[in-house]
Amino acid sequence: MSFPTQRPRRLRRTEALRNLVRETRISTAGLIYPMFVCPGTKVRQPVSSMPGIAQQSVDQLLEEAREVEQLGIPGIILFGLPESKDATGSSSASAQGIVQRAVEAVRKANLNLVVITDVCLCEYTDHGHCGVIENGEVANDATLEILANQALSHARAGADIVAPSDMMDGRVAAIRAKLDDHKFEHLPILAYAAKYSSAFYGPFREAAQSTPQFGDRRSYQMDPANAREALKEVALDIEEGADMVMVKPALPYLDVIRRVRDNFNVPVGAYNVSGEYAMVKAAAANGWLDEKRTVLELITSIQRAGADIILTYHAKDLARWLRSS
Ligand SMILES: [Zn+2]
């Protein structure tokens, strides 16, 4: 049966009709807002390639976290810029570490926010890699214990979810075992299961000061050409104890999000990364794109692809737009 019996335009005629038959409805309920915490007080250092985003000291971060809560955004994910870096990222697991102090401050303020912490070494190592270096290479197994200790310190500080992003093999199992050994068996793990070696992380590295000082991350992050391998990574992480999985970046990997959604029955997250954000901001600043329409369409596409949870720097703007629409 086709034209003239079938006229798909009938259901597009008015906004009320379009609203009624809309398949994907985005809301603030699935959004997570990423934040960068740095030492000091009253520090708010804007990230030039990410307009609207800043590195902030704990006091400032707390102010913005209140705003995030008031906007109805359910959670934040924290990245730390430590006072000092060394070869093994030892400050990453300190009880007085920058992320640990930020988590404690948010907890103490009694904010109704899910606090997620990024677990990785690249922000804490002087060489900027996500693991320790042995013989010029990122050593997998030697990194696991350090990551597990970092995750434990985040749990002790009051994190609701720990999210390992390093892409070492076996890290989820190592973190799960460490948490369970210390009575944090209730604490969920959100694994960056399919994290690709991507050009879209550029602005983040300015924000988190985590650029590798030699080489690149292709020996541990995934090859952008591989989708079947993403399913293998996700399966392994779930087997090791991941409660939720993530695909990162989001927009160049919508097909991967869809395949993960179709193949696994755990919540699926997608990280709309810094470069995706920067592209929109730059084009909007030049008047080349309508920012609001562009962001709503992009976030809709990520959810339509199958993401339940979306980590995005647009979260605050989105919450305002969705509230007023
Ligand atoms: Zn890393």
PDB file of all heavy atoms in Angstrom, residues 254 257-258 260-262 266-270 300-309:
ATOM      1  N   LEU A 254      27.895   6.118  16.745  1.00  0.00           N
ATOM      2  CA  LEU A 254      26.479   5.832  17.002  1.00  0.00           C
ATOM      3  C   LEU A 254      26.146   4.382  16.662  1.00  0.00           C
ATOM      4  O   LEU A 254      25.316   3.755  17.315  1.00  0.00           O
ATOM      5  CB  LEU A 254      25.588   6.789  16.199  1.00  0.00           C
ATOM      6  CG  LEU A 254      25.669   8.276  16.589  1.00  0.00           C
ATOM      7  CD1 LEU A 254      24.774   9.104  15.667  1.00  0.00           C
ATOM      8  CD2 LEU A 254      25.281   8.506  18.045  1.00  0.00           C
ATOM      9  N   ILE A 257      27.165   2.292  19.618  1.00  0.00           N
ATOM     10  CA  ILE A 257      26.173   2.428  20.699  1.00  0.00           C
ATOM     11  C   ILE A 257      24.984   1.508  20.409  1.00  0.00           C
ATOM     12  O   ILE A 257      24.519   0.762  21.282  1.00  0.00           O
ATOM     13  CB  ILE A 257      25.696   3.896  20.831  1.00  0.00           C
ATOM     14  CG1 ILE A 257      26.856   4.807  21.251  1.00  0.00           C
ATOM     15  CG2 ILE A 257      24.541   4.006  21.837  1.00  0.00           C
ATOM     16  CD1 ILE A 257      26.531   6.303  21.186  1.00  0.00           C
ATOM     17  N   ARG A 258      24.510   1.552  19.183  1.00  0.00           N
ATOM     18  CA  ARG A 258      23.356   0.721  18.804  1.00  0.00           C
ATOM     19  C   ARG A 258      23.670  -0.769  18.971  1.00  0.00           C
ATOM     20  O   ARG A 258      22.865  -1.539  19.506  1.00  0.00           O
ATOM     21  CB  ARG A 258      22.959   1.048  17.350  1.00  0.00           C
ATOM     22  CG  ARG A 258      21.964   0.118  16.692  1.00  0.00           C
ATOM     23  CD  ARG A 258      20.727  -0.202  17.504  1.00  0.00           C
ATOM     24  NE  ARG A 258      19.988   0.983  17.937  1.00  0.00           N
ATOM     25  CZ  ARG A 258      19.063   0.987  18.899  1.00  0.00           C
ATOM     26  NH1 ARG A 258      18.743  -0.137  19.524  1.00  0.00           N
ATOM     27  NH2 ARG A 258      18.444   2.090  19.241  1.00  0.00           N
ATOM     28  N   VAL A 260      25.902  -2.188  20.903  1.00  0.00           N
ATOM     29  CA  VAL A 260      26.046  -2.514  22.326  1.00  0.00           C
ATOM     30  C   VAL A 260      24.655  -2.613  22.959  1.00  0.00           C
ATOM     31  O   VAL A 260      24.337  -3.559  23.681  1.00  0.00           O
ATOM     32  CB  VAL A 260      26.920  -1.465  23.059  1.00  0.00           C
ATOM     33  CG1 VAL A 260      26.879  -1.675  24.567  1.00  0.00           C
ATOM     34  CG2 VAL A 260      28.365  -1.543  22.557  1.00  0.00           C
ATOM     35  N   ARG A 261      23.785  -1.618  22.637  1.00  0.00           N
ATOM     36  CA  ARG A 261      22.419  -1.630  23.174  1.00  0.00           C
ATOM     37  C   ARG A 261      21.688  -2.922  22.797  1.00  0.00           C
ATOM     38  O   ARG A 261      20.982  -3.527  23.604  1.00  0.00           O
ATOM     39  CB  ARG A 261      21.668  -0.387  22.652  1.00  0.00           C
ATOM     40  CG  ARG A 261      20.197  -0.278  22.963  1.00  0.00           C
ATOM     41  CD  ARG A 261      19.879  -0.048  24.425  1.00  0.00           C
ATOM     42  NE  ARG A 261      20.235  -1.207  25.231  1.00  0.00           N
ATOM     43  CZ  ARG A 261      20.551  -1.173  26.509  1.00  0.00           C
ATOM     44  NH1 ARG A 261      20.583  -0.061  27.173  1.00  0.00           N
ATOM     45  NH2 ARG A 261      20.856  -2.275  27.158  1.00  0.00           N
ATOM     46  N   ASP A 262      21.845  -3.350  21.551  1.00  0.00           N
ATOM     47  CA  ASP A 262      21.120  -4.523  21.065  1.00  0.00           C
ATOM     48  C   ASP A 262      21.658  -5.835  21.624  1.00  0.00           C
ATOM     49  O   ASP A 262      20.957  -6.843  21.643  1.00  0.00           O
ATOM     50  CB  ASP A 262      21.171  -4.580  19.534  1.00  0.00           C
ATOM     51  CG  ASP A 262      20.273  -3.530  18.891  1.00  0.00           C
ATOM     52  OD1 ASP A 262      19.414  -2.958  19.600  1.00  0.00           O
ATOM     53  OD2 ASP A 262      20.426  -3.283  17.681  1.00  0.00           O
ATOM     54  N   VAL A 266      22.553  -4.190  29.996  1.00  0.00           N
ATOM     55  CA  VAL A 266      22.981  -3.300  31.085  1.00  0.00           C
ATOM     56  C   VAL A 266      22.775  -1.871  30.588  1.00  0.00           C
ATOM     57  O   VAL A 266      22.683  -1.646  29.371  1.00  0.00           O
ATOM     58  CB  VAL A 266      24.462  -3.517  31.467  1.00  0.00           C
ATOM     59  CG1 VAL A 266      24.688  -4.919  32.004  1.00  0.00           C
ATOM     60  CG2 VAL A 266      25.384  -3.228  30.286  1.00  0.00           C
ATOM     61  N   PRO A 267      22.684  -0.914  31.519  1.00  0.00           N
ATOM     62  CA  PRO A 267      22.577   0.479  31.070  1.00  0.00           C
ATOM     63  C   PRO A 267      23.789   0.861  30.212  1.00  0.00           C
ATOM     64  O   PRO A 267      24.922   0.499  30.532  1.00  0.00           O
ATOM     65  CB  PRO A 267      22.549   1.269  32.381  1.00  0.00           C
ATOM     66  CG  PRO A 267      22.024   0.301  33.392  1.00  0.00           C
ATOM     67  CD  PRO A 267      22.595  -1.033  32.986  1.00  0.00           C
ATOM     68  N   VAL A 268      23.508   1.567  29.134  1.00  0.00           N
ATOM     69  CA  VAL A 268      24.574   1.969  28.201  1.00  0.00           C
ATOM     70  C   VAL A 268      24.744   3.485  28.268  1.00  0.00           C
ATOM     71  O   VAL A 268      23.785   4.246  28.101  1.00  0.00           O
ATOM     72  CB  VAL A 268      24.228   1.541  26.760  1.00  0.00           C
ATOM     73  CG1 VAL A 268      25.272   2.078  25.771  1.00  0.00           C
ATOM     74  CG2 VAL A 268      24.133   0.017  26.659  1.00  0.00           C
ATOM     75  N   GLY A 269      25.971   3.890  28.512  1.00  0.00           N
ATOM     76  CA  GLY A 269      26.292   5.316  28.512  1.00  0.00           C
ATOM     77  C   GLY A 269      27.023   5.695  27.239  1.00  0.00           C
ATOM     78  O   GLY A 269      27.602   4.841  26.559  1.00  0.00           O
ATOM     79  N   ALA A 270      26.972   6.977  26.910  1.00  0.00           N
ATOM     80  CA  ALA A 270      27.742   7.486  25.777  1.00  0.00           C
ATOM     81  C   ALA A 270      28.336   8.823  26.194  1.00  0.00           C
ATOM     82  O   ALA A 270      27.654   9.636  26.819  1.00  0.00           O
ATOM     83  CB  ALA A 270      26.850   7.661  24.557  1.00  0.00           C
ATOM     84  N   THR A 300      19.559  13.958  20.730  1.00  0.00           N
ATOM     85  CA  THR A 300      18.494  13.040  20.307  1.00  0.00           C
ATOM     86  C   THR A 300      19.091  11.854  19.553  1.00  0.00           C
ATOM     87  O   THR A 300      18.707  10.697  19.757  1.00  0.00           O
ATOM     88  CB  THR A 300      17.471  13.765  19.421  1.00  0.00           C
ATOM     89  OG1 THR A 300      16.879  14.824  20.164  1.00  0.00           O
ATOM     90  CG2 THR A 300      16.372  12.817  18.943  1.00  0.00           C
ATOM     91  N   SER A 301      20.069  12.130  18.689  1.00  0.00           N
ATOM     92  CA  SER A 301      20.664  11.045  17.889  1.00  0.00           C
ATOM     93  C   SER A 301      21.411  10.046  18.780  1.00  0.00           C
ATOM     94  O   SER A 301      21.383   8.843  18.513  1.00  0.00           O
ATOM     95  CB  SER A 301      21.591  11.613  16.811  1.00  0.00           C
ATOM     96  OG  SER A 301      22.845  12.003  17.343  1.00  0.00           O
ATOM     97  N   ILE A 302      22.047  10.539  19.823  1.00  0.00           N
ATOM     98  CA  ILE A 302      22.792   9.645  20.720  1.00  0.00           C
ATOM     99  C   ILE A 302      21.806   8.754  21.495  1.00  0.00           C
ATOM    100  O   ILE A 302      22.018   7.554  21.651  1.00  0.00           O
ATOM    101  CB  ILE A 302      23.683  10.459  21.691  1.00  0.00           C
ATOM    102  CG1 ILE A 302      24.750  11.247  20.902  1.00  0.00           C
ATOM    103  CG2 ILE A 302      24.349   9.541  22.718  1.00  0.00           C
ATOM    104  CD1 ILE A 302      25.507  12.279  21.731  1.00  0.00           C
ATOM    105  N   GLN A 303      20.697   9.352  21.925  1.00  0.00           N
ATOM    106  CA  GLN A 303      19.686   8.551  22.624  1.00  0.00           C
ATOM    107  C   GLN A 303      18.990   7.583  21.663  1.00  0.00           C
ATOM    108  O   GLN A 303      18.744   6.423  22.003  1.00  0.00           O
ATOM    109  CB  GLN A 303      18.671   9.460  23.306  1.00  0.00           C
ATOM    110  CG  GLN A 303      17.735   8.684  24.232  1.00  0.00           C
ATOM    111  CD  GLN A 303      16.771   9.580  24.980  1.00  0.00           C
ATOM    112  OE1 GLN A 303      17.155  10.646  25.460  1.00  0.00           O
ATOM    113  NE2 GLN A 303      15.526   9.155  25.069  1.00  0.00           N
ATOM    114  N   ARG A 304      18.692   8.062  20.460  1.00  0.00           N
ATOM    115  CA  ARG A 304      18.052   7.207  19.451  1.00  0.00           C
ATOM    116  C   ARG A 304      18.932   6.008  19.113  1.00  0.00           C
ATOM    117  O   ARG A 304      18.448   4.903  18.867  1.00  0.00           O
ATOM    118  CB  ARG A 304      17.771   8.040  18.193  1.00  0.00           C
ATOM    119  CG  ARG A 304      16.806   7.402  17.196  1.00  0.00           C
ATOM    120  CD  ARG A 304      16.802   8.194  15.892  1.00  0.00           C
ATOM    121  NE  ARG A 304      18.119   8.182  15.291  1.00  0.00           N
ATOM    122  CZ  ARG A 304      18.792   9.265  14.870  1.00  0.00           C
ATOM    123  NH1 ARG A 304      18.265  10.461  14.942  1.00  0.00           N
ATOM    124  NH2 ARG A 304      20.001   9.141  14.359  1.00  0.00           N
ATOM    125  N   ALA A 305      20.250   6.219  19.151  1.00  0.00           N
ATOM    126  CA  ALA A 305      21.191   5.127  18.877  1.00  0.00           C
ATOM    127  C   ALA A 305      21.167   4.076  19.988  1.00  0.00           C
ATOM    128  O   ALA A 305      21.620   2.952  19.784  1.00  0.00           O
ATOM    129  CB  ALA A 305      22.604   5.683  18.707  1.00  0.00           C
ATOM    130  N   GLY A 306      20.646   4.460  21.172  1.00  0.00           N
ATOM    131  CA  GLY A 306      20.501   3.469  22.230  1.00  0.00           C
ATOM    132  C   GLY A 306      21.119   3.824  23.563  1.00  0.00           C
ATOM    133  O   GLY A 306      21.108   3.002  24.482  1.00  0.00           O
ATOM    134  N   ALA A 307      21.659   5.031  23.702  1.00  0.00           N
ATOM    135  CA  ALA A 307      22.268   5.396  24.983  1.00  0.00           C
ATOM    136  C   ALA A 307      21.200   5.746  26.011  1.00  0.00           C
ATOM    137  O   ALA A 307      20.261   6.480  25.719  1.00  0.00           O
ATOM    138  CB  ALA A 307      23.214   6.573  24.797  1.00  0.00           C
ATOM    139  N   ASP A 308      21.359   5.199  27.223  1.00  0.00           N
ATOM    140  CA  ASP A 308      20.447   5.531  28.326  1.00  0.00           C
ATOM    141  C   ASP A 308      20.972   6.721  29.111  1.00  0.00           C
ATOM    142  O   ASP A 308      20.212   7.496  29.680  1.00  0.00           O
ATOM    143  CB  ASP A 308      20.354   4.352  29.302  1.00  0.00           C
ATOM    144  CG  ASP A 308      19.992   3.067  28.608  1.00  0.00           C
ATOM    145  OD1 ASP A 308      18.867   2.991  28.086  1.00  0.00           O
ATOM    146  OD2 ASP A 308      20.838   2.148  28.554  1.00  0.00           O
ATOM    147  N   ILE A 309      22.298   6.804  29.173  1.00  0.00           N
ATOM    148  CA  ILE A 309      22.971   7.837  29.957  1.00  0.00           C
ATOM    149  C   ILE A 309      23.881   8.602  29.007  1.00  0.00           C
ATOM    150  O   ILE A 309      24.625   7.992  28.239  1.00  0.00           O
ATOM    151  CB  ILE A 309      23.812   7.189  31.074  1.00  0.00           C
ATOM    152  CG1 ILE A 309      22.917   6.353  32.008  1.00  0.00           C
ATOM    153  CG2 ILE A 309      24.604   8.227  31.857  1.00  0.00           C
ATOM    154  CD1 ILE A 309      23.690   5.372  32.857  1.00  0.00           C
TER     155      ILE A 309
END
